[in-house]
Amino acid sequence: MAEQVTKNPGLELGLKKTELSDNSGDNLDNELVELNLGELDLTSDEFILDEVDTHIQENLEDELVKEALKTGVDLRHYSRQVEKELQQVENASIQDYIKEAHNIASLHNQITACDSILERMEQMLSGFQTDLSSISSEIQSLQDQSLSMNIKLKNRQAVRGELSQFVDELVVPEVMVNAILDAPVTQRQFLEQLHELNHKINFVKEQSFKEAVACRDVQDILEKLKLKAITKIREFLLQKIYQFRKPMTNYQVPQNAMLKFRFFYEFLLANERHVAKECRDEYIDTMSKMYYSYFKGYTSRLMKLQYEEVADKDDLMGVEDTAKKGFFSKPSLKNRSTIFTLGNRGNIITSELEAPIIVPHAAQKSETRYSFESLFRSQHFALVDNACCEYLFSVEFFLVQGSPAQDLFNAVFGKTLSMFLKHMDVYTSDCFDAIAIYLCIHIIYRYQVLMHKRIVPALDKYWETLLEVLWPRFSYILDLNIQSIRDCDPQKLGSIDVRPHYITRRYAEFSSALISLNQTFPDERVDQLLAQLQAEVENFILRMAAEFPLRKEQLVFLINNYDMMLGVLMERTSEESKETESFQQLLQARTQEFVEEILAPHFGGMIAFVKETEGLLERGQTDQVKNQDARITKLVRGFAVNWKQAIDVINQEVMRSFTNFKNGTQILQVTLTQLIQYYHRFQKVLSQSPFKGLQVRGELINIHHVMVEVKKNKPTF
């Protein structure tokens, strides 16, 4: 209760006022109020009144005050009771303190002791703090010392590494000395130590430029080892080079052996150039002689395998058969190649291009003979294989590229290639086989591609020079053939008939051969020469046809020759060739003319009447077509009597005139078709108004009857 009263200042104020009123009477009431107001320390009356109201309101809301007011208790009495209770509590508290005085004194002593202990601890901690400060400075000093020592260690390690490497590079171990002096050059140990020696020599040279004094200590021994190594390497390489001089040597075997020791030449080139040059010159001299000797002997033996009978100046397209008896007339010659036909000769640039080379002694035993292009292919395929191996070896062993590699190759193969060119020049000067020359040209084209695939440009200049030899000769031979046809006199060729002439057959075979070859590597020069040849052949055919007295025979001769040439060309070349198109047009024109010519004896009157009357009717000149009753009657009745017999005669004549049965049947069909068209036009003309009154129109043969008869002559294939 005392605690509750104490917690309420408004109530406390009221109690004090009650207590004073009891002790001092009513006179003190005003003083207490004044004191209370003085304690409020207010300067404004209005503010004071507000505060008093607020306190009174708060006191009235207190639970104890509310309870006292409800019970009607006197506040003064209630205040005295509270005061009394407080006094009792205070007295009881004092007694408790008195009872606990010993404990309080003990507690005081303990607190005092703790204070002294804490004081000592504070002193100790202050000492620790001082010690830690000194330790921190010592640690910082140690860190600085450690960093400095670490830098010194790294510097010393770096110096040690560089110095150790420098010393290792300079030191000449005993293993190296023994290997260079005593080990054979073919042993792996010698090669490994030679690499190491070369490295040390280069290192000492580099350090000598930097004026390293230590290099002087090893220069003498390195020089002696270098001289010893050079001597042994020189002997070894020269010994390997001399192996090429043995007869029947496979050059690639010692070359492959030398490639295993290609570092030897690199060592010589780096340390003793004159010795390297000596080995290189010895190799060039040896291989140049070996290749020249081999290819000269091989070419000589190879040319003995050529056909005994070869084309000469009389073997031209326009030369008649009687000019050289037996050359063309013999049906078969075992050792002779064709001149104007390709046949199987084209295999030389396809399936046989990379076939094994011809072995002369084996061919002689079997008595096998070859055309010149076969010998040319074998000779140059051997050249390609050897040239590729030689070039790749030179590049790898002698460490050259580009122009120096080409110069080295030319030094080795120069004499051989010159011999080849001279041989080709001599042969082509007497060669009149244009197909052989042209096949050789295409062999060159394909070997050029082959060497480019192998990335070997060594023979590019040789191929160009060789083509410069072959192309003029090829053009010259074609010019001779063109001129021979131009100069050919039909009257000197003896008796002729309507069958294809042997000169046109030669042309067909020859031109189809060149066209088929030219399609793989087109060349305008060939097209121009063939165009000239074709023009001369066409003129020759016309001159030959002029020898026949009848136009029909002339047309039959022309059609047979055009058909034969067209058949050969279409069989062996593409249908899109210019020559094929040209002969197709000529054949169609001459066929149409022949149709008119063969129809004329039997149906000439009707054909002339149709053409004449159609022209007049188209121009509207109907008066001029009248009064022809007698003519029309004769034509209608003559056709009715003779048309079947005429068709049979035409059939026999056509099939007898043309050597190509298929062509003959086609021409027969064209002829009969043209007959039906003329007869249809004839009937159409007679159906016009000027002729409608003619009685003879009723005697016209039905066109379907004619068509049925024509179908009987249609081929069954």
Side-chain angles (χ1 to χ4, degrees):
M1 178 66 72
E3 292 175 358
Q4 292 176 357
V5 172
T6 306
K7 289 179 182 178
N8 194 328
L11 180 62
E12 182 181 357
L13 180 60
L15 292 174
K16 286 181 180 182
K17 183 177 178 182
T18 305
E19 184 180 354
L20 287 175
S21 64
D22 291 340
N23 294 333
S24 303
D26 296 331
N27 295 331
L28 294 175
D29 290 337
N30 295 331
E31 293 178 4
L32 181 58
V33 171
E34 290 175 1
L35 180 60
N36 240 357
L37 295 174
E39 288 175 355
L40 292 173
D41 195 16
L42 300 173
T43 59
S44 173
D45 293 338
E46 184 178 355
F47 180 75
I48 291 173
L49 292 175
D50 292 337
E51 287 292 324
V52 171
D53 291 338
T54 302
H55 284 293
I56 291 173
Q57 185 69 29
E58 291 177 354
N59 289 331
L60 290 176
E61 292 178 355
D62 188 86
E63 295 295 330
L64 294 175
V65 175
K66 287 181 179 181
E67 183 180 358
L69 290 175
K70 288 180 180 180
T71 58
V73 178
D74 186 0
L75 292 177
R76 287 188 295 270
H77 177 72
Y78 188 75
S79 173
R80 283 194 295 272
Q81 183 180 352
V82 169
E83 184 68 28
K84 184 179 178 180
E85 290 177 358
L86 289 173
Q87 187 65 38
Q88 291 175 356
V89 170
E90 182 180 355
N91 291 333
S93 176
I94 291 171
Q95 289 299 320
D96 290 337
Y97 276 110
I98 291 172
K99 289 179 182 180
E100 298 294 333
H102 178 73
N103 293 333
I104 291 172
S106 176
L107 178 62
H108 176 72
N109 292 333
Q110 290 178 6
I111 292 172
T112 304
C114 285
D115 287 341
S116 63
I117 292 171
L118 290 173
E119 184 179 2
R120 288 197 302 274
M121 289 182 68
E122 181 181 5
Q123 292 174 356
M124 289 174 65
L125 291 173
S126 298
F128 285 156
Q129 184 177 8
T130 304
D131 293 340
L132 287 174
S133 298
S134 62
I135 289 173
S136 177
S137 61
E138 289 178 2
I139 290 174
Q140 184 66 35
S141 175
L142 289 173
Q143 286 179 343
D144 295 340
Q145 292 179 13
S146 175
L147 182 62
S148 175
M149 292 175 68
N150 191 28
I151 293 173
K152 291 179 180 179
L153 177 62
K154 289 182 178 179
N155 291 337
R156 289 178 180 179
Q157 287 177 344
V159 171
R160 179 182 179 181
E162 293 289 337
L163 190 59
S164 298
Q165 183 179 0
F166 181 82
V167 172
D168 290 341
E169 298 285 358
L170 284 180
V171 169
V172 180
E174 185 177 356
V175 176
M176 178 186 292
V177 175
N178 293 334
I180 298 298
L181 293 179
D182 301 329
V185 294
T186 55
Q187 286 189 1
R188 183 176 182 82
Q189 182 184 8
F190 178 85
L191 184 61
E192 292 175 352
Q193 294 303 322
L194 186 66
H195 277 279
E196 189 65 25
L197 175 62
N198 187 58
H199 177 71
K200 289 184 181 297
I201 291 172
N202 293 332
F203 180 77
V204 169
K205 287 180 181 178
E206 181 182 351
Q207 296 302 321
S208 297
F209 288 117
K210 298 179 181 179
E211 298 182 356
V213 180
C215 296
R216 300 173 185 173
D217 297 338
V218 295
Q219 281 180 338
D220 184 55
I221 187 171
L222 288 178
E223 186 67 22
K224 291 179 180 178
L225 289 175
K226 182 183 76 172
L227 293 176
K228 181 63 176 178
I230 290 172
T231 302
K232 296 175 71 173
I233 291 172
R234 176 181 176 276
E235 292 177 357
F236 173 77
L237 292 180
L238 290 178
Q239 180 184 3
K240 288 293 181 183
I241 292 171
Y242 293 151
Q243 290 181 2
F244 290 101
R245 300 179 179 181
K246 295 180 180 179
M248 306 299 292
T249 300
N250 184 353
Y251 304 138
Q252 294 183 13
V253 174
Q255 282 182 342
N256 292 333
M258 290 178 67
L259 284 176
K260 296 179 182 178
F261 305 98
R262 55 181 173 271
F263 181 72
F264 288 175
Y265 182 80
E266 183 179 349
F267 182 83
L268 293 179
L269 199 62
N271 297 283
E272 202 66 49
R273 285 187 171 272
H274 75 275
V275 176
K277 184 177 183 302
E278 178 189 2
C279 294
R280 175 174 165 170
D281 291 345
E282 189 66 31
Y283 175 82
I284 291 173
D285 182 65
T286 299
M287 295 306 296
S288 176
K289 292 178 180 178
M290 293 300 101
Y291 281 126
Y292 178 78
S293 175
Y294 166 73
F295 279 106
K296 184 177 181 181
Y298 181 70
T299 302
S300 176
R301 293 191 298 272
L302 206 60
M303 295 309 295
K304 294 178 181 179
L305 303 177
Q306 190 177 5
Y307 287 122
E308 296 176 357
E309 295 186 37
V310 296
D312 56 25
K313 62 182 180 178
D314 293 327
D315 296 317
L316 300 175
M317 194 177 299
V319 176
E320 60 273 18
D321 279 344
T322 56
K324 185 177 183 181
K325 294 181 179 180
F327 190 85
F328 290 106
S329 60
K330 291 182 181 179
S332 63
L333 283 175
K334 184 179 179 181
N335 297 329
R336 177 183 165 273
S337 65
T338 56
I339 296 175
F340 298 110
T341 60
L342 185 62
N344 294 329
R345 298 171 73 182
N347 295 337
I348 203 69
I349 58 174
T350 54
S351 59
E352 299 175 7
L353 183 65
E354 297 184 40
I357 63 173
I358 298 172
V359 181
H361 65 272
Q364 287 176 349
K365 287 182 180 179
S366 61
E367 297 183 356
T368 305
R369 296 289 177 172
Y370 298 91
S371 60
F372 176 74
E373 63 269 14
S374 297
L375 304 179
F376 179 88
R377 183 213 66 86
S378 181
Q379 179 189 34
H380 282 82
F381 189 59
L383 174 65
V384 166
D385 270 350
N386 283 274
C388 288
C389 293
E390 183 61 36
Y391 182 83
L392 295 175
F393 171 80
S394 299
V395 167
E396 191 171 357
F397 186 83
F398 291 105
L399 307 174
V400 288
Q401 294 285 344
S403 180
Q406 186 65 49
D407 293 340
L408 177 59
F409 177 83
N410 291 338
V412 173
F413 262 94
K415 290 176 64 177
T416 302
L417 298 180
S418 298
M419 182 267 293
F420 271 25
L421 290 173
K422 184 177 180 181
H423 169 260
M424 286 302 301
D425 192 38
V426 171
Y427 174 81
T428 55
S429 61
D430 292 330
C431 179
F432 291 88
D433 189 350
I435 292 180
I437 298 293
Y438 198 51
L439 283 171
C440 292
I441 290 173
H442 276 264
I443 290 171
I444 292 173
Y445 288 155
R446 283 158 176 78
Y447 282 160
Q448 281 181 313
V449 174
L450 178 62
M451 294 196 70
H452 288 165
K453 287 181 180 178
R454 298 181 182 181
I455 317 176
V456 177
L459 292 178
D460 286 353
K461 183 64 177 177
Y462 170 74
W463 298 132
E464 293 174 4
T465 307
L466 193 55
L467 288 172
E468 290 174 358
V469 173
L470 295 176
W471 268 112
R473 187 63 188 181
F474 175 74
S475 300
Y476 175 72
I477 297 172
L478 256 68
D479 288 337
L480 289 178
N481 282 281
I482 293 170
Q483 187 63 40
S484 68
I485 294 176
R486 185 183 297 124
D487 297 339
C488 185
D489 186 357
Q491 295 181 354
K492 295 181 179 180
L493 296 178
S495 61
I496 57 175
D497 52 31
V498 295
R499 292 177 298 177
H501 199 269
Y502 61 84
I503 291 181
T504 57
R505 177 166 291 280
R506 292 177 188 173
Y507 163 76
E509 297 284 353
F510 183 75
S511 61
S512 63
L514 296 187
I515 292 170
S516 62
L517 293 176
N518 194 49
Q519 287 173 347
T520 55
F521 286 88
D523 194 293
E524 292 183 0
R525 291 173 289 186
V526 178
D527 293 335
Q528 294 173 358
L529 290 169
L530 287 176
Q532 296 177 23
L533 182 60
Q534 180 183 348
E536 292 300 330
V537 169
E538 290 176 3
N539 292 333
F540 167 75
I541 295 174
L542 294 176
R543 294 200 306 270
M544 290 290 292
E547 295 296 314
F548 294 94
L550 300 177
R551 181 58 181 168
K552 187 192 301 183
E553 293 179 341
Q554 294 177 359
L555 292 173
V556 171
F557 176 79
L558 292 174
I559 291 172
N560 279 331
N561 281 275
Y562 291 151
D563 176 66
M564 182 273 297
M565 291 187 289
L566 184 61
V568 174
L569 288 170
M570 292 181 66
E571 179 185 356
R572 300 175 187 177
T573 64
S574 63
E575 295 183 3
E576 294 80 12
S577 66
K578 294 182 294 183
E579 291 79 7
T580 302
E581 293 179 4
S582 175
F583 285 118
Q584 282 178 339
Q585 294 173 1
L586 290 172
L587 180 60
Q588 290 174 0
R590 295 295 177 256
T591 300
Q592 192 61 39
E593 187 178 352
F594 174 79
V595 168
E596 297 291 334
E597 193 70 25
I598 200 171
L599 289 175
H602 307 283
F603 306 102
M606 181 184 69
I607 294 172
F609 173 78
V610 168
K611 292 180 178 179
E612 178 184 342
T613 306
E614 284 179 343
L616 293 173
L617 291 175
E618 288 178 1
R619 294 192 295 270
Q621 299 174 356
T622 56
D623 295 338
Q624 296 185 21
V625 301
K626 296 179 179 179
N627 302 323
Q628 298 192 49
D629 297 353
R631 181 183 179 187
I632 294 172
T633 301
K634 181 180 179 180
L635 291 175
V636 172
R637 292 174 178 172
F639 183 85
V641 173
N642 299 320
W643 71 275
K644 286 187 177 181
Q645 183 181 0
I647 289 176
D648 292 337
V649 172
I650 290 173
N651 184 7
Q652 295 175 7
E653 186 174 0
V654 169
M655 299 310 295
R656 185 174 59 249
S657 299
F658 299 104
T659 55
N660 185 348
F661 179 75
K662 183 178 180 181
N663 183 49
T665 55
Q666 290 176 349
I667 293 175
L668 177 61
Q669 289 301 307
V670 173
T671 304
L672 298 179
T673 302
Q674 187 69 18
L675 172 61
I676 293 174
Q677 290 178 355
Y678 276 130
Y679 188 62
H680 176 69
R681 288 162 63 185
F682 180 63
Q683 289 183 335
K684 187 176 180 181
V685 168
L686 294 183
S687 65
Q688 300 293 324
S689 56
F691 308 106
K692 285 185 176 181
L694 292 175
Q695 295 295 327
V696 77
R697 290 178 61 212
E699 301 179 18
L700 286 171
I701 301 297
N702 192 318
I703 193 170
H704 294 291
H705 294 166
V706 180
M707 293 176 67
V708 169
E709 190 67 25
V710 166
K711 287 182 179 179
K712 293 180 181 179
N713 295 278
K714 186 176 181 180
T716 58
F717 55 87

